Structure formats: C-alpha cells, structure tokens
Amino acid sequence: MKRSAIFLSTVITSIGLLVACNDEETETATIEDGDVVQVTTTTSQIHDIVENVGGERVESTPLMGPGVDPHVYQASQGDIQLLNEADILFYNGLNLEANMVDMMDDLGTEKPVYALGESIPDTELKEDEEEAGKPDPHIWFDIDLWSHAVEEVRDGLIALDPDHESEYTENADEYLDELAELQEWANQEVEKVDEESRVLVTAHDAFQYFGDTMGFEVLGLQGLSTDAEYGLNDVQQIIDVMIEQDVGAIFAETSVSDSSVQAVIEGAGQRGHEVEHGGELYSDAMGEPGTEEGTYIGMYRSNVNQIVDALQ
Ligand SMILES: [Zn+2]
C-alpha cells in the first residue's frame, strides 16, 4: 500500500469512529426504542397535560397532590429523587413554585426542563395587582393560555422522543379540541348568572384569569401567593365590598385554609349581611386522582358548576 492510501484509510477509519461516537451521544440524549419517557411535573394540572399528550409513551408523576399549595411547597427527599430520575421535567414557573426555582435552574443543566408559563408571551399574562411587574402565575384558569402550555408539553416530548412525533401531535390536537369544547360549555353555563351578580370572592387571588375570560369581577382575601397571612383589614375590606355590591356568597379553596372565609361570613353576619359559603373551589390543586375532579377538565367543570349554583 502506498503511503497516501494508508493515510486515506486512517482518515476513513477515524471518520467512522467519530460517527459512531456521535451516534452514541445522540442515543443517550433521546429515548431508546421501547422505553417510555419518565416525566416528573410539579402540579397535577401539568401532570394531566402530560398524560393526555404523552398517552402510553410516558410515565408521569406529579409532586403535588390534592390539597397541596404550590406557593409554599418545599421539595422532599423523595421529590428530589423523582426529579433526578426523570428524563424531562415540566413545571409552571412564573414563581408559582417559589421555593423550587433554583432547583429547577440547576436541573436544567442536566436535562430538558420546561417552565410552561414562561413560554407564554408577556403581553398575554396578567400582572400582580399589588406588585407591578410580577406576573400572575395562575395561567390554568385561562383555557387559551393553558392551550399554550399543552403545545409546549407536546413540543418538549417531541424534541426528546422524535420517533413518536405523530402520536404526540395527534394526542395534543385531540386534547386541544376538548379544551375548546370546555370553553364553549363554560361560556354557556355562566350565562345563567346575571351580569351584576358575577362577583367571585375567594380565599386567595387565583381566579383573575378565570374572571377575565368569563366576565367575573374577582376578589381574593389573600394576594396572588398564599405565603403572607391575611389580615383583619383584608377581611373588613372584603366585607365592605360584599355589602356594597350585595354579594351573597364566598368560596373556599381546597388548597387554602378555610379560616379566612369563615371570618368573612361571621363578620358580614354581624353587620346584617348574610353570606353563603359557596363551597370549595379547586384553585391551585386538583381533586383526588381517579375522580373527575382529579382531571383538569373535571376540576374546571366542577368550579363552574359551583360558582353558577351559588351565584345564580
Ligand atoms: Zn395560588
């Protein structure tokens, strides 16, 4: 063999090795054939999207179950293990999971991590009324914004598991249709409530997006986050407004203590204004897994039914 031929064959072998190396690297970054995608989410609302879009391709675990308040949630040792073991992570962002932001940033250097709320253009987000510049994280109560989140989950799963792109796309389309139907149904239901009675008073300020899209004025006893205690002033102010506008019901939330709601009912009663306990709404947490309220669509419907029943 001439020297140039030996050189050429060495080059070819080297290229072959390089290609082989690259192949191996791509394989570890995506999902191997036959494996399902391991997903960990913070809230159950996000877990529900992942199940709908991922179908049989994913195994998803939410960290936050029924009644859990994401604003003050601290990750446990078990959670950290789930976050470390997952192939991909989805969380709400916009400071909803206030105590997990640094952890998610760190994990983002090791694996795909998506903050669903942060994919939504700023112009579509509501601002915290008490703190300018801070976004309202409760995006799941605007079905349009939540559809953005569905698309973000779809795109994240496709990027990680491109061989099953068509499955994810079909599932997402189907689910987006269901969300559009949910919006139509909700629009019809709230028509049962007179316009002047559309005032929604709740334990904390989770329903601004809902109010905006459904035409309700929304008052929360606590601010956007539950990390600060409500005060006597908040209670008195809410009672003032309820008397002034003749609002007859206040709603508790499954993930917030009921004491503030009771304080309003008692305080209003002492001033001769009867306020009905409108029941518990699902705000930052969903219902028990396996029940209707354990799904996003089920909990949204349950909220609308309760609001319409109490205010019509
Ligand atoms: Zn909240």
Side-chain angles (χ1 to χ4, degrees):
M1 213 187 261
K2 282 188 181 164
R3 188 174 284 186
S4 59
I6 295 172
F7 172 73
L8 194 63
S9 80
T10 316
V11 169
I12 289 169
T13 318
S14 311
I15 291 172
L17 278 173
L18 273 176
V19 170
C21 277
N22 265 341
D23 267 348
E24 256 172 40
E25 273 172 28
T26 354
E27 259 169 34
T28 52
T30 52
I31 298 302
E32 295 205 23
D33 225 22
D35 279 358
V36 295
V37 181
Q38 299 292 333
V39 186
T40 300
T41 73
T42 51
T43 67
S44 305
Q45 287 90 323
I46 298 173
H47 161 76
D48 194 44
I49 294 184
V50 173
E51 291 223 299
N52 275 286
V53 174
E56 287 173 358
R57 289 293 311 146
V58 301
E59 212 171 273
S60 172
T61 313
L63 300 182
M64 302 173 190
V68 173
D69 179 351
H71 298 288
V72 295
Y73 189 81
Q74 301 276 3
S76 69
Q77 278 308 315
D79 292 343
I80 292 167
Q81 198 179 338
L82 280 166
L83 291 165
N84 282 329
E85 284 169 2
D87 299 310
I88 184 168
L89 308 175
F90 295 104
Y91 71 112
N92 191 85
L94 305 175
N95 212 37
L96 178 77
E97 306 94 334
N99 299 321
M100 295 180 73
V101 177
D102 292 343
M103 192 182 289
M104 288 300 186
D105 282 348
D106 285 349
L107 285 159
T109 63
E110 292 162 25
K111 62 182 80 188
V113 176
Y114 291 83
L116 301 182
E118 287 160 28
S119 71
I120 295 168
D122 285 352
T123 47
E124 292 186 41
L125 295 172
K126 288 187 70 68
E127 232 180 58
D128 186 337
E129 281 168 355
E130 282 162 19
E131 244 179 286
K134 245 174 97 178
D136 180 339
H138 303 90
I139 50 170
W140 54 96
F141 283 124
D142 178 333
I143 295 174
D144 262 350
L145 293 189
W146 204 231
S147 299
H148 271 289
V150 172
E151 288 163 357
E152 185 76 353
V153 168
R154 175 199 63 200
D155 295 347
L157 290 173
I158 289 174
L160 181 67
D161 185 25
D163 289 351
H164 297 87
E165 174 170 358
S166 59
E167 241 170 292
Y168 295 126
T169 306
E170 271 169 43
N171 290 346
D173 285 348
E174 225 170 88
Y175 191 53
L176 289 169
D177 284 348
E178 285 179 44
L179 292 183
E181 275 170 34
L182 176 67
Q183 181 73 72
E184 258 175 57
W185 171 84
N187 289 343
Q188 280 170 10
E189 284 304 300
V190 299
E191 286 299 317
K192 295 176 183 168
V193 181
D194 294 338
E195 259 172 56
E196 65 271 18
S197 303
R198 291 188 198 168
V199 184
L200 184 60
V201 186
T202 60
H204 95 294
D205 224 348
F207 292 91
Q208 292 294 347
Y209 289 105
F210 179 86
D212 247 31
T213 52
M214 304 308 297
F216 280 75
E217 185 186 341
V218 174
L219 299 166
L221 262 159
Q222 275 170 292
L224 285 182
S225 174
T226 54
D227 62 358
E229 279 291 295
Y230 68 94
L232 206 58
N233 267 343
D234 304 320
V235 172
Q236 287 311 327
Q237 267 175 23
I238 292 276
I239 293 172
D240 287 344
V241 177
M242 292 183 85
I243 291 174
E244 214 175 275
Q245 302 192 26
D246 196 26
V247 183
I250 181 169
F251 299 87
E253 299 171 33
T254 62
S255 52
V256 184
S257 152
D258 196 37
S259 61
S260 58
V261 169
Q262 293 299 346
V264 170
I265 293 173
E266 275 166 37
Q270 282 161 12
R271 289 168 60 183
H273 181 70
E274 202 181 314
V275 172
E276 182 198 334
H277 193 305
E280 278 190 326
L281 300 179
Y282 296 98
S283 56
D284 293 0
M286 307 209 301
E288 292 291 333
T291 68
E292 221 185 304
E293 292 78 14
T295 68
Y296 171 77
I297 290 176
M299 75 137 196
Y300 196 99
R301 289 177 70 100
S302 163
N303 283 348
V304 169
N305 284 332
Q306 281 210 69
I307 291 166
V308 170
D309 277 354
L311 297 182
Q312 77 178 345

